[in-house]
Amino acid sequence: MNGPLRFLSGIPLMLMAAALLVLGLQRVVPAPGPVVVAPSYSDLLIEDGQFDAAVFWNGVLAKDGDPAALRRLAATADLAGLPGMRASALERLVKTGRATLAEHVETAQLLAWAGALPDALTVMFNAERRFPDKVDLSFLSFYAALARDCRRADVAVPLAQRMWTQTDNEAVLRILIDLSGTGR
Amino acid sequence: MFRFLAIALLAVLAASPRAAWAREEARTIVVLHDGGDEASPLVYAAPVLKYLGLLVEPHSAADPLPDLAGRADVRGVLIWLDTGAVADRAGFTAWVRGATQQGLPVALMGATPDADDRFGLFLALDLLYAHDERAYTYDLRAVEKDTALIEAERRFDNLFPPVDIVRPLQDAAVQPLLVLQRRSDVTDRTMPLIVTPKGAYAAAGYALWVSPDGKTQRWMVDPVAWFRLAFHLDAVPTPDLTTLNARRILSLALAPSGPDDGPAAIAAGEHLMAGHPERSLDVLLDGPGNRGPVAPPRPCADRARAHLMGYSHLLAQLDAGEAPRRIAGYTPVLLVCEAESDLTAGAANAVLGHARTLPLATSKISPEALDIDFGAIRLDRIDTGVWRVLDRGALNTLRFDDADHLRIDWSRTEGVLGAGRVHGALYISLDPDAGEPVVALTNMPWEPPPFATLVESRWMISGLVRDVETAAMNVQGSGPGDMVWSVEPFSEWELTFKPKTGAPARYRAVAGFDGVLSFSLPASAGDGGTLTFERHDLAEVGP
């Protein structure tokens, strides 16, 4: 009776040994030739012109919020002509804190286009906070326009003052005149 | 004395009938770019211009601007810069103004040239220009949109690239394709896509979309329609290399994917031809050349893609060459890799199965034979709506785009088999045996042709001799001889087909009220043959 029991208790050990042997052998076998990088399924779908399917596939891969996967999803959505999906992917990327300044601005543009002006303003606020030394006049003019259209004078006025102190040329004056409008 | 001079003058005119009126059709487009061979106009615009029968003459904006004075061969000027850099900033506007004053339309696309006088540059195109510092565009809305001409391959979706303010100097005679407005301010408008009598303007990003990685491009305007408008191309004959007798030319080819794959390509070709001598198949050992589309995208590493995706994308590419415009022949090239030569048969079967469902032209003529010196073809306008074609090589088709209102004027036409219509274009089939055919068009209402005229044919037809009662010609082609002819309505004909090898056959054909004779001859003209028509319903007339 003890013999069969001993044998059964040894099965997991045998399986583990076999697995270790297989994995160990795989690790020491050298590559047979030059490494061929297989195309991803997403690449194949894009090559085949199946953009919607590629968006779906990349959406699944980006479920856990990996920044690289989100970037790929955003790019595929751009190819597919799906700005809403692109905005959603970029917004998630911004929330990871790993987005570049350009990705922040693009997210804000897409959100503003979709009418989500307060969300766009939030993205620009965080962009300035994260990249304080990199913002330029075009960034400030977009930021200020969003603040104006969100009726956030508390944000827009200091921005206008900063723009004026940064550069007092005629171009800025025109932007400020435009900002003084009431969001016609 | 006067009589002598008059006779001498008449003799000179009689000796040079072409010189009396002939004027070579201007076909050169001077293209100004600011990059190398990869500059946008050379990569994206040049194929479209070639499709329109135009000759591209590239000039770098880093060099002195080309002298256009006295150039009768120039049809227009395309300025498409990627960065906007120009060497002659001071003289740039005067150069553009000189071109428009010479009557040459100027199409301005891409980055705005870094000229000293930008306002004057736009003024030369009858446009007013002001730089817009507002780099954001979320508050722009399209208030006018020419839906037939824009968003050809991709929609704007109201996501507009940054744009300066451009408006017409005079509203009359301009054609804005897109008018944008900020919020509800009707005074705050711009026209990033606009055609004027002096040319056309497309702001950067409004004619062509390029993905951030540069791998994918989409036309935001219909490029053919855009350049036809910009360069005032109305009824202009276009040498067409995609078509034979109004049908797309079928030519399947194999090519080795690498230097060691030549034998595999030859073996695959022999395998495909075995038992099918009528098939037209070329093995291109020197590579695909100008043919396309080329498949698969990853030769020698294509097994996974082939199993997962099949060849639907290749077939879709081939379909895209036909509609909405016929821009390419049916000339796929399959790359053969020795390690994956079994995949070639699958790809070839997919293509041939697809081709069988389409009306294509099959003959011994290959795309390489049609790879003629495009610039050497001369199209002399010898009268209003009449052109003589010279130095055409193997060219057998002239195309007139957007020609629903046009038809052949048979009273002034020579060396032409007939014409067929595809997607609004008129495809004129030239007789390969005609030395210098003359094509005349008219917009008068249709009337029955004075003799049998070809509409379309799968086989090549040459040496046509015809009168009101008969027609005789040589034929050659693989597969069945599907043909359509136009004759007098309700007329009756006897057809006699004599293949070079095989027994002759006779058929009776009767045209209906539409005057169309449509028939299919047996597949026995691979080595050539003759076809004759004889009209049988004309009443006998005595002396």
Side-chain angles (χ1 to χ4, degrees):
Chain A
M1 190 68 186
N2 282 347
L5 275 176
R6 267 202 299 273
F7 177 74
L8 285 173
S9 62
I11 285 176
L13 287 172
M14 283 189 278
L15 287 174
M16 193 179 292
L20 283 171
L21 190 64
V22 169
L23 289 172
L25 283 176
Q26 279 185 344
R27 288 173 73 90
V28 294
V29 170
V35 177
V36 177
V37 180
S40 71
Y41 185 54
S42 166
D43 291 341
L44 292 177
L45 289 168
I46 289 169
E47 270 177 16
D48 204 49
Q50 299 185 44
F51 296 120
D52 289 347
V55 169
F56 176 78
W57 179 250
N58 282 318
V60 172
L61 296 180
K63 264 215 158 19
D64 62 355
D66 172 52
L70 286 168
R71 282 197 177 93
R72 211 162 37 240
L73 174 60
T76 315
D78 197 19
L79 281 178
L82 298 171
M85 177 66 80
R86 180 168 171 75
S88 159
L90 285 174
E91 197 177 7
R92 286 171 62 200
L93 176 63
V94 165
K95 283 177 181 167
T96 65
R98 305 274 293 276
T100 64
L101 175 63
E103 285 165 342
H104 277 80
V105 173
E106 191 171 1
T107 307
Q109 283 171 343
L110 287 163
L111 290 168
W113 160 80
L117 297 185
D119 293 342
L121 188 64
T122 302
V123 171
M124 292 299 276
F125 175 81
N126 283 307
E128 197 201 8
R129 196 169 54 82
R130 289 168 182 154
F131 305 96
D133 302 328
K134 292 187 177 174
V135 298
D136 59 9
L137 192 61
S138 68
F139 178 94
L140 290 175
S141 70
F142 177 33
Y143 190 9
L146 281 173
R148 172 203 61 196
D149 287 347
C150 288
R151 301 187 184 283
R152 290 291 300 268
D154 57 318
V155 179
V157 171
L159 276 173
Q161 286 169 344
R162 276 178 54 197
M163 288 163 68
W164 186 249
T165 52
Q166 275 192 11
T167 169
D168 60 354
N169 68 19
E170 194 185 342
V172 173
L173 185 61
R174 277 204 289 268
I175 292 171
L176 294 178
I177 290 169
D178 189 56
L179 281 172
S180 69
T182 54
R184 286 166 289 184
Chain B
M1 181 65 184
F2 280 118
R3 180 187 285 180
F4 173 75
L5 281 175
I7 290 171
L9 186 61
L10 280 172
V12 168
L13 287 174
S16 56
R18 276 185 224 154
W21 231 92
R23 184 171 59 83
E24 190 171 352
E25 196 73 57
R27 292 197 292 146
T28 301
I29 299 293
V30 170
V31 175
L32 200 68
H33 64 89
D34 59 353
D37 292 342
E38 299 301 310
S40 291
L42 304 183
V43 175
Y44 307 117
V48 182
L49 296 173
K50 186 180 178 190
Y51 170 79
L52 289 168
L54 302 169
L55 307 171
V56 170
E57 184 183 298
H59 290 271
S60 170
D63 298 332
L65 297 165
D67 183 9
L68 303 178
R71 291 276 305 270
D73 62 316
V74 176
R75 181 106 205 174
V77 177
L78 170 61
I79 302 168
W80 188 343
L81 306 180
D82 290 319
T83 66
V86 293
D88 188 359
R89 293 179 55 176
F92 195 83
T93 296
W95 180 73
V96 172
R97 197 183 303 120
T100 56
Q101 285 172 351
Q102 205 177 316
L104 298 175
V106 175
L108 181 58
M109 301 173 71
T112 306
D114 193 15
D116 283 349
D117 181 11
R118 283 188 172 187
F119 187 79
L121 167 65
F122 279 81
L123 212 52
L125 302 180
D126 282 352
L127 294 169
L128 297 170
Y129 167 85
H131 180 60
D132 195 339
E133 294 79 14
R134 296 167 291 185
Y136 52 89
T137 62
Y138 71 89
D139 55 355
L140 282 174
R141 292 289 178 267
V143 290
E144 279 181 42
K145 194 156 74 168
D146 191 331
T147 52
L149 290 176
I150 71 168
E151 299 185 328
E153 294 180 343
R154 185 181 167 90
R155 287 175 293 128
F156 281 110
D157 280 326
N158 284 333
L159 280 168
F160 299 107
V163 60
D164 288 329
I165 296 168
V166 174
R167 292 178 199 155
L169 188 61
Q170 302 161 332
D171 281 343
V174 300
Q175 185 178 352
L177 308 189
L178 181 65
V179 181
L180 302 179
Q181 177 178 304
R182 284 201 189 261
R183 300 191 293 278
S184 54
D185 186 354
V186 293
T187 65
D188 198 353
R189 287 186 172 184
T190 184
M191 300 179 187
L193 290 166
I194 187 168
V195 179
T196 77
K198 302 274 182 69
Y201 169 68
Y206 281 82
L208 184 80
W209 174 83
V210 181
S211 64
D213 62 6
K215 289 181 182 170
T216 311
Q217 305 81 32
R218 299 273 186 275
W219 281 100
M220 305 302 293
V221 293
D222 175 340
V224 173
W226 169 257
F227 286 118
R228 274 177 56 75
L229 281 173
F231 295 123
H232 307 161
L233 303 173
D234 194 11
V236 179
T238 302
D240 190 290
L241 308 178
T242 68
T243 299
L244 177 69
N245 298 335
R247 287 177 164 222
R248 280 176 98 189
I249 294 172
L250 164 67
S251 184
L252 174 63
L254 304 178
S257 61
D260 300 331
D261 295 316
I266 293 169
E270 286 169 353
H271 176 70
L272 284 171
M273 291 288 284
H276 298 279
E278 79 285 0
R279 267 184 195 158
S280 171
L281 181 104
D282 298 318
V283 178
L284 310 172
L285 291 177
D286 292 332
N290 290 330
R291 292 203 205 186
V294 178
R298 289 195 185 84
C300 302
D302 194 53
R303 196 169 295 281
R305 194 208 58 77
H307 284 311
L308 285 168
M309 305 295 169
Y311 295 95
S312 57
H313 186 53
L314 172 62
L315 304 185
Q317 278 183 289
L318 288 164
D319 284 339
E322 170 67 2
R325 282 194 172 83
R326 180 177 295 171
I327 55 173
Y330 197 95
T331 55
V333 181
L334 304 179
L335 297 178
V336 182
C337 172
E338 188 168 9
E340 293 184 342
S341 57
D342 55 313
L343 297 180
T344 306
N349 282 338
V351 169
L352 290 171
H354 183 247
R356 255 193 297 277
T357 65
L358 303 171
L360 302 169
T362 61
S363 77
K364 282 180 179 166
I365 194 161
S366 72
E368 281 66 38
L370 283 169
D371 194 14
I372 44 188
D373 183 1
F374 210 58
I377 302 169
R378 273 183 56 196
L379 299 164
D380 282 359
R381 189 189 288 257
I382 56 177
D383 201 346
T384 306
V386 187
W387 293 267
R388 176 177 280 113
V389 189
L390 302 103
D391 304 324
R392 66 189 171 109
L395 174 78
N396 288 317
T397 301
L398 282 186
R399 189 187 77 243
F400 289 84
D401 289 315
D402 298 333
D404 282 337
H405 60 298
L406 298 174
R407 65 178 181 85
I408 290 182
D409 177 356
W410 287 108
S411 65
R412 298 190 291 169
T413 292
E414 301 165 15
V416 170
L417 303 171
R421 294 183 190 278
V422 183
H423 308 311
L426 187 66
Y427 286 82
I428 310 283
S429 303
L430 308 177
D431 189 331
D433 289 359
E436 295 179 356
V438 174
V439 177
L441 293 186
T442 176
N443 56 7
M444 298 298 285
W446 183 84
E447 57 188 47
F451 34 60
T453 67
L454 180 70
V455 177
E456 64 169 57
S457 167
R458 177 182 172 122
W459 291 347
M460 174 174 268
I461 292 171
S462 60
L464 177 64
V465 180
R466 63 190 161 192
D467 58 26
V468 69
E469 291 180 46
T470 62
M473 68 209 80
N474 300 312
V475 294
Q476 189 278 321
S478 61
D482 303 334
M483 293 185 200
V484 178
W485 290 78
S486 179
V487 294
E488 193 175 319
F490 306 111
S491 55
E492 295 176 23
W493 299 79
E494 184 180 81
L495 314 180
T496 306
F497 171 47
K498 292 181 183 167
K500 194 166 266 181
T501 51
R506 289 187 178 194
Y507 308 92
R508 184 170 170 272
V510 180
F513 72 96
D514 54 1
V516 170
L517 277 189
S518 179
F519 54 86
S520 182
L521 298 173
S524 49
D527 294 327
T530 60
L531 176 66
T532 57
F533 288 24
E534 194 170 339
R535 189 165 174 178
H536 274 193
D537 62 320
L538 285 182
E540 295 285 330
V541 178

